[in-house]
Amino acid sequence: MSHATGRLTVLHISDVHATGGDLLYERVDGARRLRAVGDYVRQTGITPEAVVVTGDLVQRGHGGAYGAVQEALDELENAAGVPVLTVIGNHDDPERARELRGHARGHCREVRVDDLRFLLLDSSTGELGSAQIAWVRDALRTPYGSGTVIALHHPPLGSPMPTLARAGLRDADALLEAAAGGDVRAILAGHFHHAIAATLGGIPVSVAPSLAYHQVMDAGPDRVSGHDSAMFSLVHLVPDGVSATSVSLESPAPLFTSPIDPKNQMGNHDHAA
Ligand SMILES: [Fe+2]
């Protein structure tokens, strides 16, 4: 836990796109990649407050994969030692996704982890709808502990990519209006398969990259393309704001490896940042 430093960490994963049977695009094994995030947590020793997965847990038509996804989420939960919280996305099957822990009675819920409150929303249709918006507004009438994190699949803004410019949450304005004036520390989303950092109505918004594949950012005005890059995000809630760091699950061979004096990180190293 990082309460002593005032920095709360949310490990933010999105767009797993797990499949049953054949691998996605013959390369992507979503459940295996979830386990690999657990390996990362163990190896680095990070101590998040919670893990949040913002939807597209399975590839469309692969509802049979939810069992394997839940097993992998359980292993990740063991590795991280904190709850793994999930929301569903447009690829998910709202009925079969009820197999997921916490989803039996529906996909919109509030979970409190210590003194952080998570509002987990269902935007699987591309919008939240008036009932969920009213629920968010009502929940935020009462502040809670260190504040609230809203998690949903569709970002409340468009992508800079022309093909995804209108793929954000359809009722984004209503969500932002409902969240205004509340104790929302951050809105976490996914869907675009590339990271975005934004501030909307004074609320930090962090869109995580995808664990399955990353957008080719220059694919052109009329097509999308994906390359095999598994990434997630480390979101830090700091006293006056939010930082989000994209982390790649696999890295190419390093160009160099050079020791850094921990007491002199700002020094004039040849190879430091
Ligand atoms: Fe996705």
Side-chain angles (χ1 to χ4, degrees):
M1 292 292 178
S2 30
H3 288 274
T5 63
R7 191 178 80 159
L8 305 176
T9 301
V10 178
L11 196 159
H12 180 194
I13 299 168
S14 200
D15 294 86
V16 179
H17 290 266
T19 51
D22 294 342
L23 299 182
L24 182 67
Y25 304 121
E26 301 178 353
R27 296 275 290 273
V28 178
D29 183 337
R32 186 171 178 183
R33 290 183 177 192
L34 285 171
R35 290 187 176 91
V37 177
D39 294 341
Y40 170 89
V41 171
R42 283 198 179 97
Q43 286 161 13
T44 59
I46 62 164
T47 55
E49 272 56 52
V51 178
V52 171
V53 189
T54 47
D56 283 0
L57 291 146
V58 304
Q59 177 75 359
R60 184 174 292 115
H62 288 261
Y66 282 113
V69 166
Q70 186 59 62
E71 283 180 24
L73 293 173
D74 288 344
E75 289 186 28
L76 176 56
E77 193 163 272
N78 280 337
V82 293
V84 174
L85 311 176
T86 50
V87 302
I88 63 170
N90 53 299
H91 273 258
D92 285 300
D93 179 330
E95 278 310 309
R96 301 195 71 173
R98 288 175 184 264
E99 291 177 37
L100 295 169
R101 187 156 300 119
H103 289 256
R105 283 185 284 170
H107 307 297
C108 167
R109 60 205 169 103
E110 174 180 324
V111 175
R112 298 178 179 191
V113 180
D114 291 332
D115 60 352
L116 263 184
R117 172 170 61 181
F118 292 85
L119 300 184
L120 307 170
L121 307 180
D122 175 2
S123 72
S124 56
T125 62
E127 64 183 17
L128 294 171
S130 56
Q132 279 192 99
I133 296 289
W135 180 80
V136 169
R137 188 180 291 110
D138 194 47
L140 292 175
R141 279 190 222 284
T142 309
Y144 177 76
S146 295
T148 299
V149 173
I150 292 177
L152 75 168
H153 182 64
H154 290 75
L157 75 167
S159 160
M161 294 184 66
T163 45
L164 296 173
R166 297 184 189 184
L169 184 71
R170 283 200 293 275
D171 45 5
D173 289 348
L175 173 63
L176 294 170
E177 184 270 325
D183 65 350
V184 179
R185 302 281 300 269
I187 296 175
L188 307 183
H191 186 48
F192 290 153
H193 292 227
H194 69 75
I196 301 183
T199 305
L200 299 173
I203 299 174
V205 177
S206 183
V207 179
S210 165
L211 200 63
Y213 57 87
H214 196 284
Q215 297 291 349
V216 174
M217 299 303 286
D218 59 352
D222 58 359
R223 68 194 65 195
V224 290
S225 178
H227 59 77
D228 186 2
S229 177
M231 302 179 80
F232 59 94
S233 182
L234 286 176
V235 177
H236 296 303
L237 309 177
V238 294
D240 296 320
V242 170
S243 74
T245 304
S246 292
V247 179
S248 185
L249 210 49
E250 291 182 10
S251 302
L255 283 174
F256 65 89
T257 302
S258 177
I260 295 289
D261 178 357
K263 296 180 191 149
N264 188 26
Q265 292 186 15
M266 299 295 286
N268 237 353
H269 300 285
D270 285 344
H271 301 293

